[in-house]
Amino acid sequence: MTVDSGVRAAGPSVSFIPTSVRRRTVDGAAGVLVWASVAAALVPLAWILWTVVAKGLPAVTSSTWFTHSLSGLSSTTPGGGVYHAIIGTLLQGLVCSAIAIPAGILVAVYLVEYAGPSRLGRVTTFMVDVLAGVPSIVAALFIYALWVVTFGFDRSGIAVSLALVLLMVPMVVRSTEEMLRIVPGDLREASYALGVPQWKTIAKVVLPTALPGIVTGTMLAVARVLGETAPLLILVGYAPFINFDLGSGEMGTLPGLIVDQMNNPSAVGADRMWGSALTLIGMVAVLSIAATLLARRSTVRGGDR
């Protein structure tokens, strides 16, 4: 009875200090600043998207846009499409991904699971950081000096893919490295306690756990390099026809088509340029959506297991 009375008596004496006017003012100003920053970032983005869609939609909705190339058409002749440019962009992206994704994942696995404080690990991390800051035109010039000048090969689509590899590897390494680091160490220790060797722990426990983030990071890296233009201008010429041979000859790509049609002063060239830009944005959007769906599917399967 005495304890209850003491609790009841102590209850009303508890009071909260009201928030000062200064703190409320600062909080409100910070909120306004945050929303203003969001609007400042979204308004240019929405403006760009609206401009590209409004000017590129007439060309994209043409019946021949995705089924024909520009072979045999002059700069002022309407018609044709970007079939050749889509093929060239996808081929270069596939070759680049086949090299950069495995290499980037293996480097990230080494840095997280094996390197530790070793000198080789520090050097590798430093080189990845340097490579991440290399401009695309520098990577293209390096491949030109190595592939064309030193080895004597022709300018071709494979040279472009090699330049894109230099740009994509650090992105894959960084995204994979971050995903591997957030895997709980208890999972590794439990696997080691059962006598599972390290390589099998990485293959069966660590990588499947980090797979959703790795898939998202790699797909976004692919989408990022597909729009690079400098390697195309230096390492391969633009062709208005279909070329499946990455080893020789000029090759049409969406960024190359945009640059080519920028020099076309006619209205046909402007339509093709904006239509190619909208097609490229659509490809990047599809890859981003696919990355999100694959990540979610991987997460669901991992939870089922």
Side-chain angles (χ1 to χ4, degrees):
M1 187 69 179
T2 306
V3 174
D4 293 340
S5 301
V7 172
R8 287 195 297 269
S13 63
V14 177
S15 60
F16 296 96
I17 300 175
T19 305
S20 63
V21 177
R22 178 180 175 276
R23 294 183 62 182
R24 291 198 301 268
T25 304
V26 172
D27 181 72
V32 171
L33 183 61
V34 169
W35 283 108
S37 301
V38 173
L42 291 180
V43 168
L45 177 61
W47 191 3
I48 292 173
L49 290 176
W50 171 257
T51 303
V52 174
V53 171
K55 295 187 176 183
L57 195 60
V60 173
T61 54
S62 172
S63 59
T64 61
W65 185 253
F66 295 103
T67 58
H68 290 68
S69 67
L70 297 178
S71 179
L73 298 177
S74 65
S75 59
T76 58
T77 303
V82 293
Y83 179 70
H84 64 296
I86 294 176
I87 293 296
T89 301
L90 292 179
L91 287 177
Q92 294 176 8
L94 287 175
V95 173
C96 171
S97 301
I99 301 174
I101 292 177
I105 292 177
L106 290 176
V107 171
V109 168
Y110 168 75
L111 291 176
V112 176
E113 304 294 335
Y114 293 99
S118 65
R119 178 178 297 179
L120 180 58
R122 294 195 300 269
V123 171
T124 304
T125 301
F126 174 75
M127 296 304 296
V128 170
D129 292 337
V130 171
L131 194 59
V134 172
S136 59
I137 191 170
V138 176
L141 289 174
F142 170 76
I143 295 298
Y144 181 84
L146 182 67
W147 187 259
V148 179
V149 177
T150 304
F151 294 152
F153 294 108
D154 295 332
R155 298 166 67 228
S156 59
I158 190 68
V160 176
S161 298
L162 294 177
L164 296 180
V165 167
L166 297 179
L167 302 174
M168 186 175 172
V169 164
M171 291 187 284
V172 177
V173 171
R174 281 290 165 252
S175 61
T176 304
E177 189 177 1
E178 293 300 323
M179 292 301 104
L180 293 178
R181 291 190 187 280
I182 64 176
V183 175
D186 295 342
L187 294 178
R188 297 179 176 88
E189 294 175 0
S191 180
Y192 297 152
L194 295 175
V196 180
Q198 185 177 10
W199 70 268
K200 186 172 289 187
T201 299
I202 296 172
K204 299 294 186 179
V205 177
V206 178
L207 286 177
T209 304
L211 184 61
I214 294 175
V215 171
T216 303
T218 53
M219 295 292 284
L220 293 177
V222 173
R224 170 68 177 80
V225 300
L226 288 182
E228 291 292 344
T229 306
L232 301 173
L233 298 177
I234 297 175
L235 297 172
V236 67
Y238 169 75
F241 50 83
I242 300 173
N243 180 14
F244 290 97
D245 187 5
L246 285 168
S248 63
E250 298 177 337
M251 178 173 287
T253 57
L254 288 172
L257 177 58
I258 294 172
V259 175
D260 180 74
Q261 294 302 314
M262 285 179 61
N263 300 321
N264 185 357
S266 65
V268 175
D271 291 340
R272 291 172 180 169
M273 179 184 67
W274 288 108
S276 301
L278 181 57
T279 305
L280 183 59
I281 291 176
M283 289 180 60
V284 172
V286 168
L287 288 175
S288 301
I289 295 173
T292 303
L293 295 178
L294 287 175
R296 290 181 179 177
R297 188 174 182 180
S298 301
T299 303
V300 172
R301 287 184 174 181
D304 293 340
R305 288 196 297 269

